[in-house]
Amino acid sequence: MSPKETSTTRRAVLKTIGGGAVATGGFAGVAAAADDDVMTKLGGGIHATLSPGDGDPDMDEDEFREYVEKMAERYGDAGVFGTGDPTYDGFITATADNIDTSTERGAYEGDYEVDSVAATYRVEGDSANDSGESNSESDQTRYRHFMWTAVDNGDLTYTAGLGSFNIITEPLRTEYLQIGVETAGKVANPMITDTISADNSSTVAVEFGSGDASFKLPSGRVTTNPSGEILSDQRPDSEYSLEWEGLADGVRSIATTVETVHDEDDPSIEFTTEYNFGYESLL
């Protein structure tokens, strides 16, 4: 993949809308410093759509298990379930994608890799819906979604020059990660609802109901958007995202779970991943 220069801002999703999973990568040309004098230079995203009720899984349970093992080999404790080991009870389907890019183009040089997965689970009948009824007593269907992404920023560098003179050469570090869900149904019970800032040994537990996943948070902070306990009927499409901001070398991962509630049997559920790389400006 050959990323292209674009005028997108730091948090714009670089995505192609459509069925299935689509990965896009691109350069984010930012003319001024972002938050805390961090200059964002490279970014992109992954977009995927799942229809968990159509009976045709993108990835079955065995394939998902193999994917989890593969990501554990690739990312270690930053893999899909991190240092946790939840069961696969209620698994329906999953979708995954990968961006593995090397560039020696213009001001950018080096490589990076991004992996992302969204796995959908069935919520058992004793889990109450928003009206207090159980699934077995209502016409609504409820799903729990586990979302994870990891990035390895490799040896990316950005060089700014004037003519034949190089003014600066900066290593690009991971500056922003996001995973999110959007649906015409209702979003319920997000696992993380608060801002979490890193300390020397921060680990964020991701509650599954059948064991926990986890991810380490050695730097930066995690926030949710919107913040608070839940979204309901205040907009045509409900959405929820988990975002990490900081500056990190090497591997960084985030994960969360969220439920969605639907009146139809075969809802369309959209997942997004965003990532950005940048450097801290001293000017």
Side-chain angles (χ1 to χ4, degrees), residues 68-258:
V68 171
E69 293 174 0
K70 181 179 178 181
M71 294 300 102
E73 293 175 358
R74 178 173 297 170
Y75 293 108
D77 288 348
V80 174
F81 294 145
T83 56
D85 188 23
T87 71
Y88 293 78
D89 295 346
F91 176 87
I92 299 175
T93 185
T95 184
D97 217 317
N98 166 268
I99 296 174
D100 189 356
T101 298
S102 180
T103 181
E104 295 181 2
R105 180 174 178 177
Y108 306 93
E109 184 174 353
D111 56 75
Y112 66 91
E113 185 166 10
V114 183
D115 284 281
S116 181
V117 71
T120 297
Y121 291 74
R122 183 175 296 103
V123 177
E124 298 302 324
D126 58 358
S127 181
N129 64 26
D130 289 352
S131 66
E133 298 175 312
S134 69
N135 282 347
S136 60
E137 297 172 348
S138 73
D139 295 329
Q140 294 181 322
T141 56
R142 179 183 291 260
Y143 301 100
R144 180 178 296 117
H145 312 284
F146 174 79
M147 300 177 289
W148 166 87
T149 190
V151 59
D152 185 347
N153 64 352
D155 56 355
L156 283 171
T157 59
Y158 167 76
T159 300
L162 182 63
S164 60
F165 297 97
N166 290 336
I167 300 174
I168 62 168
T169 298
E170 293 283 349
L172 291 183
R173 294 185 282 172
T174 304
E175 179 262 329
Y176 179 75
L177 274 180
Q178 179 255 36
I179 45 179
V181 61
E182 182 175 333
T183 180
K186 290 181 284 187
V187 176
N189 299 333
M191 197 287 303
I192 298 172
T193 59
D194 300 317
T195 297
I196 301 174
S197 297
D199 59 29
N200 291 334
S201 58
S202 293
T203 299
V204 180
V206 183
E207 298 176 3
F208 242 88
S210 57
D212 290 344
S214 64
F215 64 92
K216 293 183 177 180
L217 188 64
S219 65
R221 66 175 187 169
V222 167
T223 59
T224 57
N225 184 33
S227 59
E229 286 301 320
I230 201 41
L231 321 172
S232 54
D233 298 319
Q234 73 270 35
R235 66 187 74 183
D237 290 333
S238 293
E239 56 189 47
Y240 170 81
S241 66
L242 181 74
E243 304 170 358
W244 171 87
E245 292 181 279
L247 278 176
D249 294 314
V251 171
R252 173 66 72 250
S253 70
I254 55 173
T256 191
T257 60
V258 68

